[in-house]
Amino acid sequence: MTTDGRPRPDIEADVCVVGSGATALFAALLCARSGQSVVLVSPQAEFEPAGAGISPLLAPPTLGLLADEGIEDALVQDGQPVLGVDDHGSAGLLSSWRYADHPGTARTHGLTVPTGTLVQAALAGLRGEPRATVRTGEGVVAVEQDDSGVLLTLARTDGSDAATPVRVRAAYAVAADGRNSALRDLVGISLDVSAFDRPAWLVVTPAVPGREPVLLVRHKAPSALFTIPIPTRSLAVVWSPDRDQEEALDQGGPAALAEQLRQIDPELSGWLDEAKDRVSPLIRLNFSLWRAASWRAGRVLLLGETAHGLHTLGGQGLNQSLQSGASLARAIHDSLSSGDPSRIDDYERIRRPHVEQLQDFQWNLQALRSYSATPPERGAHEDFIDVMTALQPELAAQLALANSG
């Protein structure tokens, strides 16, 4: 015990980040590089290997943040550049734009990259920081807080009870352990989940020869087709059909998908037939949004999917999580360096309204929630152009203040 009666910690640090994914690792890296001592606690025994996982789209603003930390170059070899977006409606082209058309954009392209590659790049950076410690195969089983910090009790996640629990005391703890966060539940923050009422079906196919590498939407209401270039010269095809077509997809697989696409994208339909031996199985996707009731409980802060979840449209889930990691790291630095704990409020004040506005946009999009046959009047990505091409202004100001200091 300490002199004030608190349990004595085994490890002390400024920040303890709990999570195994890219968001947790990036936030921990930023904290370490801003001068904090950091412990990253991964519930997983192993980190996702390079080249593994899904390949989300990293938008230019996020790539700029990663480049600042020396991470971007490690992603390029495994990544697939995406030049922009074409949105087609029932009567023709609704909107078309390229990253290069937007002055001041950090990059002239986005990049789809395997999550494992991003994880390994961030992990390599974190392990190179002398004030950072990485622990694996441990989860948080108890939390105690007071006005000056958090005491986390860790236990092995492999079911072994032989090891003595480890106690970590930190000024701040960051819950970045995903939608089913144990740390969030331990501090009593609830999660509100809203499910979209229409599913989609996904296949991965070799890229259609000769097509420009853009995110392509064909929304012929009520059906909607989304395709995006991904690494290894492939294409992710996401199809939201009319209700009466759904059973055929469950029963018929990629062949049924090719048939349904014949009227909306005949070239892709023919390519799916031609490349059928190289097309992945058809997977049904169900989508939802979720919001934590608060992004903070005392000195425990929520980050990424622990705090929020977005639909895949617009590719903002990982982007917003990584950008929030930059805001959180700055708020922690400001709070600790100034001795003013109210500075931690900057994180939720800046980021939460922004993310929830994006969620509201998604929830109200016809292509995601409605089987209405009314032709769309706007491109599905028009409300996302700003966030796909530039940082949130309030976040940019927060980070610029950090850099000027």
Side-chain angles (χ1 to χ4, degrees):
M1 303 290 287
T2 59
T3 56
D4 57 7
R6 297 182 304 200
R8 184 177 300 279
D10 301 290
I11 301 170
E12 293 188 79
D14 294 319
V15 185
C16 180
V17 180
V18 180
S20 305
T23 300
L25 288 158
F26 187 58
L29 176 63
L30 291 173
C31 286
R33 288 184 174 173
S34 64
Q36 278 73 59
S37 56
V38 177
V39 176
L40 180 110
V41 177
S42 168
Q44 303 298 320
E46 301 288 342
F47 291 97
E48 192 173 32
I54 62 172
S55 295
L57 174 64
L58 296 175
T62 308
L63 290 174
L65 293 178
L66 296 171
D68 289 343
E69 303 306 320
I71 292 176
E72 183 188 23
D73 289 347
L75 310 180
V76 172
Q77 183 173 354
D78 285 352
Q80 166 63 53
V82 178
L83 302 183
V85 178
D86 285 345
D87 266 311
H88 297 263
S90 301
L93 186 68
L94 292 171
S95 67
S96 177
W97 57 269
R98 300 293 179 265
Y99 290 109
D101 297 336
H102 295 266
T105 302
R107 300 290 182 275
T108 58
H109 61 269
L111 192 72
T112 51
V113 61
T115 50
T117 299
L118 178 55
V119 162
Q120 290 298 322
L123 179 61
L126 184 62
R127 283 183 164 152
E129 291 299 314
R131 302 195 71 194
T133 301
V134 177
R135 299 179 65 91
T136 60
E138 294 177 321
V140 181
V141 295
V143 180
E144 300 174 51
Q145 297 197 58
D146 56 34
D147 290 341
S148 61
V150 186
L151 184 69
L152 306 176
T153 301
L154 311 180
R156 299 297 303 173
T157 54
D158 59 6
S160 170
D161 56 5
T164 303
V166 174
R167 292 182 175 88
V168 178
R169 184 168 178 82
Y172 289 103
V174 178
D177 47 342
R179 178 175 178 176
N180 299 314
S181 168
L183 181 50
R184 184 194 62 228
D185 292 346
L186 284 168
V187 297
I189 299 178
S190 62
L191 202 64
D192 180 37
V193 181
S194 301
F196 289 91
D197 57 5
R198 65 179 306 184
W201 279 258
L202 165 72
V203 297
V204 175
T205 175
V208 180
R211 282 200 173 182
E212 188 180 15
V214 299
L215 200 164
L216 176 64
V217 182
R218 297 189 186 278
H219 185 190
K220 189 174 183 179
S223 61
L225 171 68
F226 306 86
T227 65
I228 183 167
I230 59 174
T232 66
R233 299 181 182 178
S234 297
L235 188 71
V237 178
V238 180
W239 171 237
S240 291
D242 199 355
R243 195 187 303 271
D244 61 9
Q245 297 176 299
E246 293 176 358
E247 184 177 355
L249 290 170
D250 284 332
Q251 296 178 353
L257 173 65
E259 180 58 35
Q260 290 183 11
L261 296 184
R262 204 167 302 283
Q263 296 301 315
I264 194 168
D265 191 335
E267 181 185 40
L268 176 58
S269 173
W271 176 247
L272 288 172
D273 283 335
E274 182 178 340
K276 59 185 177 182
D277 293 336
R278 295 176 287 159
V279 174
S280 75
L282 188 62
I283 301 172
R284 181 183 176 121
L285 304 175
N286 294 295
F287 304 104
S288 61
L289 301 177
W290 59 91
R291 293 178 175 178
S294 172
W295 285 22
R296 176 186 170 199
R299 286 177 170 261
V300 176
L301 310 169
L302 308 191
L303 177 64
E305 289 193 346
T306 304
H308 58 75
L310 290 99
H311 194 286
T312 58
L313 180 70
Q316 287 305 300
L318 181 57
N319 284 282
Q320 293 305 316
S321 294
L322 293 170
Q323 290 172 29
S324 289
S327 176
L328 178 145
R330 182 59 194 179
I332 289 175
H333 171 79
D334 289 345
S335 176
L336 294 178
S337 62
S338 69
D340 179 3
S342 69
R343 295 297 301 274
I344 203 67
D345 296 333
D346 291 348
Y347 165 56
E348 185 169 355
R349 176 183 59 80
I350 290 171
R351 294 298 296 162
R352 185 176 178 184
H354 176 73
V355 171
E356 291 188 350
Q357 183 182 44
L358 294 178
Q359 291 179 316
D360 290 341
F361 280 146
Q362 291 183 326
W363 187 251
N364 291 304
L365 279 174
Q366 174 185 333
L368 304 184
R369 292 193 60 222
S370 172
Y371 288 91
S372 169
T374 302
E377 297 180 355
R378 290 172 57 81
H381 288 82
E382 286 190 63
D383 288 326
F384 296 92
I385 293 176
D386 287 346
V387 295
M388 294 176 76
T389 57
L391 285 178
Q392 173 198 4
E394 296 85 353
L395 172 60
Q398 183 192 25
L399 300 181
L401 182 62
N403 292 333
S404 66

